[in-house]
Amino acid sequence: MLFKTIRSTLTAFNSLAIAVLCAAVLSLSIFVHEELYSEAVTHNLDGLSNNMAHDLFAILGTPEIDRIAISTTLLRLEEYENVELAAVFDKDFSQLDIYAGRALRVSGKIGTKVSLEQLRDIQFGTSTKNGKLFSFKFIGEKAFPSGYLLIINDLENPLSRSKLSLLLKVLPLTFVVICIGIVLSLWLNNKMLSPFQKLAHLAHQIKETNDYSIKINVYGKQEVIDLSNEISSMMDTIHSEEVKNKQHTKLLMEQRRDMERLANFDSLTGLPNRQFFMETLRKSLNDADRNNQDMVLMFFDLDGFKDVNDTHGHDVGDKLLIESSKRAKRFLRHGDLIARLGGDEFLILLHSNPSDLVVIDIAQRIIKEISKPFVINSWEIQISVSVGIARATDAKYNLSDFVSNADVAMYESKVKGKNTHTIFIPTMMEDNKRRLFIAKSITASLKNNEFEVYYQPKVNAQEEIVGFEALLRWNNEELGFISPYEFISIAEQSGKINQMTEWLLKAVMFDYAKILEHYGANTMISINLSAYDLKSTRTLELITELYHHYLINPKCIEFEVTESTYLENFDMANQFFGNIRGLGSSIALDDFGTGYSSLSYLTKITLNTLKIDKQFVDNLGISKRSTLITKTVIKMAKQLDLNICAEGVETRQQMAFLVENGCDQLQGYLFGKPTDLATLLASPHQKVNTNILPFIL
Ligand code: C2E
Ligand code: CA
Ligand code: CA
């Protein structure tokens, strides 16, 4: 486009220049022609008038002036068509004769006399005035003239005619010259502009395609070639810069994506992280609040994840987290958002306010899926998940309360025995506050001796006391009496159980001598240990130290553990049990019949005593199934050489059944409730029957 304009402008300019040039040449030639013409005419007239003056001198030089001869001489001017007038004067300027030329005759302006005034204005010699050429000559010697000759020649009209004829001759040629000039200029323009046109076309192409790798092929004058080469190399530079820029931009984009990912996503699972989730939740809560809609949040925490990490290492732990999150994701609907809060905690924001039924269905599916065994690094790992569910309305759309409610509900699931889900209800908040208070108070209460050890007797078939189970009691200043069922699990959850066990062990070992003194040297004292105590190496050290310190007979100490202590890790449990037996003490499996209660597990671990749970004892004679199971358990335990203790015996019938089926020991309110040491020592002296002491390896 630009080049078309340039080309037409150039062509117009060239044409104009040629026309102006032609006009200038024409004007100049006319001017020169005019000059030459005037000069020639003047020269001719001068010559003519000189000749005639010479001839007239011969006539005027005679005494008798021959006027006819003058007229004849003047008539010679007839052949000069531009001579208008000629007059001959004597030496006194008296007109002797006058000749009117053809030009004057045609116009009819013939004068007969040239006045003296007219003559005065005319210079001698040849001169021009008002388009006329005057030739005023002396006849004879200038100093003694015989007369004068005046010839007036028309200069203007012949000059015009001459110019016109010149123009008529020259104009066609000029026109031809202009045409040729324009054609030439067009051709030259084309030839000169075509490389530029190519460059322009190229620039247009680059603009359209943004492709700087296009090559230029322009042939022409060296300057144009140089220019195109320079443009080519400039384009090469641009192209390579463009490639570099693209790579740089790509790198920057990748870095930006990485930064975003780092800022908003968990690097391990690839799930959104806490920050991203909380931001999204905040917005969703605001929207829900504005639209008066409810929202559901699910908090889930893997049960026993820490043990997997401790036992199998972080690599397996990490893979377990990845796999667990993948499994959980399978049950989410489009629009649900799952995030990893950190550790083994995950949050799920369920969209579109689902009903409790839908929420429970999702929770149950996740629980079921995660409890299926994982195979990681050729280990078969089984874990479970505790789920807490909360609704935004219960938290009054407050972000931290919403998350905290889901957390509290999750904790409730843990308390309920894990591998389950709980929907938050406002009273749980109170429970949670109480739990936090209890957890916080444990350390100080242990120091202040708010705790106390109670002892519950265990009897043989003859109802003779064979030993005591040490049971913790806590009477808190603010909360009053707190059940061990409550504070033991809180101590376990809050990591305070080890210090509690340490306090208990010290207290029992301290009481040991008095109890044995009162009830005999064979009295067996049972101490409950938590699964967390088995994992702490300090437990065994402490027991050993205390045995030495209080001169304890290890055979008089039994440790009660629940199935949970070995279910997670048989090897570790067996090692601990082996160490305890190595010291000379025994192990009793508590609460048998609750939880997993697989008889086959009993072959995997080495125990001394099996404690049949109160649940079974309660149902003896009521449920046929329970009765049958209890019978089978006792029989099998016997085959495994295990001592059997039944707990929670409250009736004579229960006792009769148990004794009849071969139960060695009995424990329950029927024989005595747990009592403090003072009460225990105040009761009538009763020696323990040594014949039915549990078998100790
Ligand atoms: P456990 O080890 O199974 O203890 C037996 C529980 O049953 C005791 O409750 C006892 O008071 C109760 N009990 C015994 N006989 C009867 C009966 O005939 N009828 C009824 N209804 N209950 C009976 P307690 O003392 O409240 O302890 C609850 C649980 O707390 C214990 O169950 C044990 O698991 C845990 N616990 C108690 N003290 C300690 C402790 O010092 N260390 C550890 N690790 N856990 C303890
Ligand atoms: Ca127990
Ligand atoms: Ca028990």
Side-chain angles (χ1 to χ4, degrees), residues 377-403:
N377 292 4
S378 70
W379 294 99
E380 192 179 285
I381 292 162
Q382 190 148 23
I383 50 156
S384 58
V385 64
S386 294
V387 180
I389 298 155
R391 285 194 172 271
T393 41
D394 286 327
K396 297 194 173 62
Y397 297 97
N398 177 286
L399 178 76
S400 62
D401 288 353
F402 194 21
V403 178

Side-chain angles (χ1 to χ4, degrees), residues 394 396 401 404-409 411-412 415 423-439 478-479 482 486 490:
D394 286 327
K396 297 194 173 62
D401 288 353
S404 159
N405 289 355
D407 187 16
V408 165
Y411 188 79
E412 196 66 29
V415 173
I423 296 182
F424 175 85
I425 47 168
T427 53
M428 281 178 195
M429 208 61 223
E430 287 304 312
D431 296 348
N432 190 51
K433 275 187 197 151
R434 179 182 163 89
R435 253 195 313 262
L436 288 175
F437 180 80
I438 290 173
E478 253 181 77
L479 300 177
I482 307 167
E486 189 178 10
I490 294 173

Side-chain angles (χ1 to χ4, degrees), residues 45 85 101 130 180 229 231 236 247 287 321 392 424 483 539:
L45 189 67
L85 188 136
N130 300 333
I180 291 171
N229 287 343
I231 291 174
D236 283 346
Q247 284 168 348
D287 290 348
L321 285 174
F424 175 85
S483 159
T539 311

